[in-house]
Amino acid sequence: MRETLRALRGRLERFVRPRTPEPFPVELHRRRIYVLPTRFGLFFGVMLVAMGVGALNYNNNPALLLMLLLAGAAQTSLLGAHLQLSGLRLVAVSADPVPAGAPILLRLHARAPSRGRERRGLRVDCPDATGTLSLDDGVGEAELALPTQRRGWLDVPRLRISTTRPLGLVRAWSWVWPEQPLLVYPAPEPNGPPLPDGAGEAALARLHPLGDDVHHLRAYRRGDPPRTIAWKPTARLGSLLVREYEQPLSADIVLDWFRITGLDMEARIRRLARWVDEAERDGRRYRLVVPGHPPIGPAQGAAHRHACLRALALLPGGMGAR
Amino acid sequence: MAGTRLDARTRLGVLLAAGACVAPLLLQVPTTLALVITGVAIAMAFLSQRPPLPGWLRMVPALGLGAFVFSTMGVNFGRDTGCAMLAAMLAVKPLETNTLRDARSLLGFALFAPFATFLLDQGPLSLVLGLLAVVLVLAAMQRLSDVESDDARRPRTAWRRLRSVGWMLLLGLPLALAAFWLFPRLASPLWGVPDRAHVRPGLADSMTPGRWSDLLLDDTPAARVRFFGPVPPRDRMYFRGPVFMQYDGRTWSRAPLQSSYTAQPVRASGTAWDYELEFEPTDRRQLIALDVPLSPPPNAHFWSDRALRVERPLDSVTRWRMQSAPVATFEADLPRTLQLAALQLPQGFNPRTIALARQWRQDAGANDAAIVNRALSWIRRDFGYTLEVPITGRDAIDQFLFRDKKGYCEQFSSSFVVLMRAAGIPARVVAGYAGAELNTLGGYWLVRRSDAHAWAEVWLAGRGWVRIDPTAAVAPERVFDTIQDRARASGDLLANLQPMFDTGDWMVSTWNDFVLGFNADRQRRLLQPLGFDAVDPERLLLLFSLVAIAALAATVWLLSRDVRERDPLLRAWHRVGRRYAKLGLARAPHEPASEWTQRVHRARAGGDDALVALGARFSRRRYGPAREAGERLNALLRDLDKHRP
């Protein structure tokens, strides 16, 4: 029974607007707002009908007036619920990418043109998540934690924006279906080998003023800290000499798809994703080499990390991509 | 979501609203029961704050209270018992009100309580309490909906909540009123209307002397009378109700044969009084009429004594248009059985009265009128009026006539009738109302329950039934007195309050006129002033639909309009901007006045100097230093409104 109902509902939902994903911004106009009584509303309606029949039967006018007054308020609440949504403008959806498996926080940004109407406590939901949208001073956003399963683009499901206010008798709702997909990073490998060292690549040593190994002395330049002055050689040579240190800065790491062997494609992606995170955590520069993509980097930082993980996330799904 | 648990404040709001619903109903059930139900309800409300009790324990108060209701009200399942059961169920319900869904079902069922109250009572107190209950229930529903939509961050104040509920009710009102006046009524009920078991004061179907003293102190209205044409003098305003012919020594009641004869025509004397009687509900089928009505109104019929009996219990305010006239002869030929019934006396009661009456008969011979006069003059001479009547023994009439010699209408009328019957004159007791009070504001006469009265009718050969009021012989001022009379007697305070009473009753009467007394018949005549005779239900429905659509449109407009610009100057300026929109020269929202006018000036062939000037004036007026412009606002507004691109 329940299954049949769900199937029926699914079929019905194919007829409601929008039927395909749509570009934002979207304005909710009356043609796409639906209003139906809630269960409480049905109960209330049955009660009103019973009251009405009773009042007419007994020709009891105060009782009839009571029933009509309640019916009038219910009718007003129906319009009120509709108007909570009407004219609402959904500006954009956004989300910070997360690794697959973690919930992604979808943010739905909304605006309302009219200052007069109070729009609060609108429920935003899809089968997997629920959020609340309240507009203060005409702007507001709802947050929905959508579950993610796999890397790549996540299509935002059709979202229902609904409200039962002001009396809980009817639910007004509208569907929005953002076209813009959300990026899901690959899930990093939980345990695995450490970062590959950069020995094979041309290790670029760079001077570092606070390194440990004495490299050489040079003439003092204005601005050198006094503690770097090498007093003994200075005394010996008669001109200020400064010690210069160097630290062999860790060599740039190369995260190379082609050097990982013995793993299937998804496992490789997950390992690389883990290495990207590790390199980022250690503060090292890294370069990512993946098939079908020019090498990324070397570089370091949030933007670089995003570029790398994005490339990994969007690698075509091979075997076992799902 | 429906399983959301309620927070303490929300639950309190819901319980208060439910309590407000039950309150008017409790006023209608017996006091002890009302007190017990209130106590249980409060206990349940407190208990419900604790973790839920096991199911069997929750059944205990429900079953106990149910049993108590039946023991108090009796097992006959009438309207009263049903209402008491509803109140009892609502009292127990808070115990299982923990979630949103529970709260909603409680509120829904609670709304039946004011509804049930109106079936029992339509007094102003019930109406006010009922309206209050509706407002509180809607406010509670609104709060529940807020809880459901998880918008608890910014709770509304109670005042804002009530205001928005009031707004909702106000917007729904036109539709409700349209439906009220135009929705077709049932001309006859779908199912029977049960009698109310628990009777309010009113004219009962029997009279036991000594029982009316409560009624005589009840100042609530019994009827209102509006005369068209001549008005009878106040001391002729006898409103006849039930006629009692059967006496068992204690109680006067109707004889069954009173209904088996048809009423004989009466011969009227003088002009007839044409009037409309607005009768407050009594839940009985007995109607009153001024003196003797010439013919029964629709839906009512005469008994042989010309008492009016209606077809349905009078459980709401009803209106009756009737003609009555002072009577010349009333049932000149009394059938033998009726005559015997009018002479019937219980065996072995009141020996002294019977002995006295026989003595009088011997003295008077065949002259019945002499006996009547002798009795009246005796009563006038020796008797006094009081509402404090001692408890009577077996021979109540003897005791009254020969020992107490004090009483009120019940004693006077019943003793007089017994005396007449013992002397061989057919006589009967008539109950009704005597006297009325003119409401100058509404132009109608108000009959109060305290005007209830009982008098006698004796049958005299050739004349038929003649009204004799022995009480009036003793204390006419007590029969026809009014609040005004009493006020004059007791000082100025009440007299000063009289206009207030009058206004209050006039408002009640108007409410009766427009709401309580509205029925299928009056609905049909609703549009007569507009020239439609007798509207049929189809046309009524059409009219209702039209008005309903108009009301809906008004509601939509009122709800959906956004906040209007309050500054008239800015409004006028925006109107000017909109006029230019047709030329594709609309002012952008961010564009200052001068920039826009300059842009329009450049864009239009020949420029637009008028607009530039107006823009400058507008800017000066709106943004310049106060009053520096020396420009009158009205002149600027007029110029802005006149300006066309």
Coordinates of all heavy atoms in Angstrom, one line a residue, chain A residues 26-70:
Chain A
V26 N 15.8 32.1 -9.5 CA 14.4 31.6 -9.8 C 13.5 32.4 -8.9 O 13.7 32.6 -7.7 CB 14.3 30.2 -9.5 CG1 12.9 29.7 -9.4 CG2 15.0 29.3 -10.5
E27 N 12.4 32.9 -9.5 CA 11.4 33.6 -8.7 C 10.2 32.7 -8.6 O 9.7 32.1 -9.6 CB 11.0 34.9 -9.3 CG 10.2 35.7 -8.3 CD 9.9 37.1 -8.9 OE1 10.8 37.7 -9.5 OE2 8.8 37.6 -8.7
L28 N 9.7 32.5 -7.3 CA 8.5 31.7 -7.1 C 7.3 32.5 -7.4 O 6.9 33.4 -6.7 CB 8.4 31.2 -5.7 CG 9.7 30.4 -5.2 CD1 9.4 29.9 -3.8 CD2 10.0 29.3 -6.1
H29 N 6.7 32.2 -8.6 CA 5.4 32.9 -8.8 C 4.2 32.0 -8.6 O 4.4 30.8 -8.4 CB 5.4 33.5 -10.2 CG 5.6 32.5 -11.3 ND1 4.6 31.9 -11.9 CD2 6.7 32.1 -11.9 CE1 5.0 31.0 -12.8 NE2 6.3 31.1 -12.8
R30 N 3.0 32.5 -8.7 CA 1.9 31.7 -8.2 C 1.7 30.5 -9.0 O 1.1 29.5 -8.5 CB 0.7 32.6 -8.2 CG 0.2 33.0 -9.6 CD -0.8 34.1 -9.5 NE -0.8 34.9 -10.7 CZ -1.2 34.5 -11.9 NH1 -1.7 33.3 -12.0 NH2 -1.1 35.3 -13.0
R31 N 2.2 30.4 -10.2 CA 1.9 29.2 -11.0 C 2.6 28.0 -10.5 O 2.3 26.9 -10.9 CB 2.2 29.4 -12.5 CG 1.2 30.3 -13.1 CD 1.0 29.8 -14.5 NE 0.4 30.9 -15.3 CZ 0.9 31.3 -16.4 NH1 1.9 30.7 -17.0 NH2 0.4 32.3 -17.0
R32 N 3.7 28.2 -9.7 CA 4.4 27.0 -9.3 C 4.3 26.9 -7.8 O 5.1 26.2 -7.2 CB 5.9 27.1 -9.7 CG 6.5 28.4 -9.4 CD 7.9 28.5 -10.1 NE 8.8 27.6 -9.5 CZ 10.0 27.3 -10.0 NH1 10.4 27.9 -11.2 NH2 10.8 26.6 -9.4
I33 N 3.3 27.5 -7.2 CA 3.1 27.3 -5.7 C 1.9 26.4 -5.6 O 0.8 26.7 -6.2 CB 2.9 28.7 -5.0 CG1 4.2 29.5 -5.2 CG2 2.6 28.4 -3.6 CD1 4.1 30.9 -4.7
Y34 N 2.0 25.4 -4.8 CA 0.9 24.5 -4.6 C 0.5 24.6 -3.2 O 1.3 24.8 -2.3 CB 1.4 23.0 -4.9 CG 1.9 22.9 -6.3 CD1 3.2 23.1 -6.6 CD2 1.1 22.6 -7.4 CE1 3.7 23.0 -7.9 CE2 1.5 22.5 -8.6 CZ 2.9 22.7 -8.9 OH 3.4 22.6 -10.2
V35 N -0.8 24.4 -3.0 CA -1.3 24.5 -1.6 C -2.3 23.4 -1.4 O -3.2 23.2 -2.2 CB -2.1 25.8 -1.3 CG1 -2.6 25.9 0.1 CG2 -1.2 27.0 -1.6
L36 N -2.1 22.6 -0.3 CA -3.0 21.5 0.0 C -3.1 21.5 1.5 O -2.2 21.9 2.2 CB -2.5 20.2 -0.5 CG -2.8 19.8 -1.9 CD1 -2.3 18.4 -2.2 CD2 -4.3 19.8 -2.2
P37 N -4.3 21.0 2.0 CA -4.4 20.9 3.5 C -3.4 19.9 4.1 O -3.1 18.9 3.5 CB -5.8 20.5 3.7 CG -6.3 20.0 2.4 CD -5.5 20.7 1.4
T38 N -3.0 20.2 5.3 CA -2.2 19.2 6.0 C -3.2 18.2 6.7 O -4.4 18.4 6.6 CB -1.4 19.9 7.1 OG1 -2.3 20.6 8.0 CG2 -0.4 20.9 6.6
R39 N -2.6 17.2 7.3 CA -3.5 16.3 8.0 C -4.4 17.0 9.1 O -5.6 16.7 9.2 CB -2.7 15.2 8.7 CG -3.0 13.8 8.2 CD -2.2 12.9 9.0 NE -1.2 12.3 8.1 CZ -0.4 11.3 8.5 NH1 -0.5 10.8 9.7 NH2 0.5 10.9 7.6
F40 N -3.7 17.9 9.8 CA -4.5 18.7 10.8 C -5.6 19.5 10.1 O -6.7 19.7 10.6 CB -3.5 19.6 11.5 CG -4.1 20.5 12.5 CD1 -5.0 20.0 13.4 CD2 -3.8 21.9 12.5 CE1 -5.6 20.9 14.4 CE2 -4.4 22.7 13.4 CZ -5.3 22.2 14.3
G41 N -5.2 20.0 8.9 CA -6.2 20.8 8.1 C -7.4 20.0 7.7 O -8.5 20.5 7.8
L42 N -7.1 18.7 7.3 CA -8.2 17.9 7.0 C -9.1 17.6 8.2 O -10.4 17.7 8.1 CB -7.7 16.5 6.4 CG -7.1 16.6 5.0 CD1 -6.5 15.2 4.7 CD2 -8.2 17.0 4.0
F43 N -8.5 17.3 9.3 CA -9.2 17.1 10.5 C -10.1 18.3 10.9 O -11.3 18.3 11.2 CB -8.2 16.8 11.6 CG -8.8 16.9 13.0 CD1 -9.8 16.1 13.5 CD2 -8.2 17.9 13.9 CE1 -10.2 16.2 14.8 CE2 -8.7 18.0 15.2 CZ -9.7 17.1 15.6
F44 N -9.5 19.5 10.7 CA -10.1 20.8 11.0 C -11.3 20.9 10.1 O -12.4 21.4 10.5 CB -9.1 21.9 10.9 CG -9.5 23.2 11.5 CD1 -9.3 23.4 12.8 CD2 -10.1 24.2 10.8 CE1 -9.6 24.6 13.4 CE2 -10.4 25.4 11.4 CZ -10.2 25.6 12.7
G45 N -11.1 20.6 8.8 CA -12.2 20.8 7.8 C -13.3 19.9 8.1 O -14.5 20.3 8.1
V46 N -13.0 18.6 8.5 CA -14.1 17.7 8.8 C -14.9 18.2 10.0 O -16.1 18.2 10.1 CB -13.5 16.3 9.1 CG1 -14.6 15.4 9.8 CG2 -13.0 15.7 7.9
M47 N -14.1 18.8 11.0 CA -14.8 19.3 12.2 C -15.7 20.5 11.8 O -16.8 20.6 12.3 CB -13.7 19.8 13.1 CG -14.0 19.8 14.5 SD -12.7 20.7 15.3 CE -12.9 22.3 14.7
L48 N -15.2 21.3 10.9 CA -16.0 22.5 10.5 C -17.3 22.0 9.8 O -18.4 22.6 10.0 CB -15.2 23.4 9.6 CG -14.1 24.2 10.2 CD1 -13.5 25.2 9.2 CD2 -14.7 25.0 11.4
V49 N -17.2 21.0 8.9 CA -18.3 20.5 8.2 C -19.4 20.0 9.3 O -20.6 20.3 9.2 CB -18.0 19.4 7.2 CG1 -19.2 18.7 6.7 CG2 -17.2 20.1 6.1
A50 N -18.8 19.2 10.2 CA -19.7 18.7 11.2 C -20.4 19.8 12.0 O -21.7 19.8 12.2 CB -19.0 17.8 12.2
M51 N -19.7 20.8 12.3 CA -20.3 22.0 13.0 C -21.3 22.6 12.2 O -22.4 23.0 12.6 CB -19.2 23.0 13.3 CG -18.4 22.8 14.6 SD -17.4 24.3 14.8 CE -16.5 23.8 16.3
G52 N -21.0 22.8 10.9 CA -21.9 23.5 10.0 C -23.2 22.8 9.9 O -24.3 23.3 10.0
V53 N -23.1 21.4 9.6 CA -24.3 20.7 9.5 C -25.2 20.7 10.8 O -26.4 20.9 10.8 CB -24.0 19.2 9.1 CG1 -25.2 18.3 9.1 CG2 -23.4 19.2 7.7
G54 N -24.5 20.6 11.9 CA -25.2 20.6 13.2 C -25.8 22.0 13.4 O -27.0 22.1 13.8
A55 N -25.1 23.1 13.1 CA -25.7 24.4 13.3 C -26.9 24.6 12.4 O -27.9 25.2 12.8 CB -24.6 25.5 13.1
L56 N -26.8 24.2 11.1 CA -27.9 24.4 10.2 C -29.1 23.5 10.7 O -30.2 23.9 10.6 CB -27.5 23.9 8.8 CG -26.7 24.9 8.0 CD1 -26.3 24.4 6.7 CD2 -27.4 26.2 7.8
N57 N -28.8 22.3 11.1 CA -29.9 21.4 11.6 C -30.7 22.0 12.7 O -31.9 22.1 12.7 CB -29.3 20.1 12.0 CG -30.4 19.1 12.3 OD1 -31.2 18.8 11.5 ND2 -30.5 18.7 13.6
Y58 N -29.9 22.5 13.7 CA -30.6 23.1 14.9 C -31.0 24.6 14.6 O -31.5 25.2 15.5 CB -29.6 23.1 16.1 CG -29.4 21.6 16.5 CD1 -28.1 21.3 16.9 CD2 -30.4 20.7 16.6 CE1 -27.8 20.0 17.3 CE2 -30.1 19.4 17.0 CZ -28.9 19.0 17.4 OH -28.6 17.8 17.8
N59 N -30.7 25.0 13.4 CA -30.9 26.5 13.1 C -30.4 27.4 14.2 O -31.0 28.3 14.7 CB -32.4 26.7 12.9 CG -32.6 28.0 12.2 OD1 -31.7 28.6 11.6 ND2 -33.8 28.5 12.2
N60 N -29.1 27.0 14.6 CA -28.5 27.7 15.7 C -27.5 28.7 15.1 O -26.4 28.3 14.6 CB -27.8 26.7 16.6 CG -27.3 27.4 17.8 OD1 -26.7 28.4 17.8 ND2 -27.7 26.8 19.0
N61 N -27.9 30.0 15.1 CA -27.1 31.0 14.4 C -25.7 31.3 15.0 O -24.7 31.4 14.3 CB -27.9 32.2 14.1 CG -28.9 32.0 13.0 OD1 -28.7 31.2 12.2 ND2 -30.0 32.7 13.1
P62 N -25.6 31.4 16.3 CA -24.3 31.6 16.9 C -23.3 30.5 16.6 O -22.2 30.7 16.3 CB -24.5 31.7 18.4 CG -25.9 32.1 18.5 CD -26.7 31.5 17.4
A63 N -23.8 29.2 16.6 CA -23.0 28.1 16.3 C -22.5 28.2 14.8 O -21.4 27.9 14.5 CB -23.7 26.8 16.6
L64 N -23.5 28.6 14.0 CA -23.1 28.7 12.6 C -22.1 29.8 12.4 O -21.1 29.7 11.6 CB -24.4 29.0 11.8 CG -24.2 29.0 10.2 CD1 -23.9 27.6 9.8 CD2 -25.4 29.5 9.5
L65 N -22.3 30.9 13.1 CA -21.4 32.0 12.9 C -20.0 31.6 13.4 O -19.0 32.0 12.8 CB -21.9 33.2 13.7 CG -21.6 34.6 13.2 CD1 -21.9 34.7 11.8 CD2 -22.3 35.6 14.0
L66 N -19.9 30.9 14.5 CA -18.7 30.4 15.0 C -17.9 29.6 14.0 O -16.8 29.7 13.7 CB -18.9 29.5 16.3 CG -17.7 28.7 16.8 CD1 -16.9 29.6 17.6 CD2 -18.2 27.5 17.6
M67 N -18.7 28.6 13.4 CA -18.1 27.8 12.3 C -17.6 28.6 11.2 O -16.5 28.4 10.6 CB -19.1 26.8 11.9 CG -18.8 25.9 10.7 SD -19.6 26.6 9.3 CE -18.8 25.8 8.0
L68 N -18.4 29.6 10.8 CA -18.0 30.4 9.6 C -16.8 31.3 9.9 O -16.0 31.5 9.1 CB -19.2 31.3 9.2 CG -20.4 30.5 8.5 CD1 -21.5 31.4 8.3 CD2 -19.9 29.9 7.2
L69 N -16.8 31.7 11.1 CA -15.6 32.6 11.5 C -14.3 31.7 11.5 O -13.3 32.2 11.0 CB -15.8 33.1 13.0 CG -15.3 34.4 13.3 CD1 -15.9 35.5 12.4 CD2 -15.7 34.8 14.7
L70 N -14.4 30.5 12.0 CA -13.2 29.6 11.9 C -12.9 29.3 10.5 O -11.7 29.3 10.1 CB -13.5 28.3 12.7 CG -13.6 28.5 14.2 CD1 -14.1 27.2 14.8 CD2 -12.2 28.8 14.7

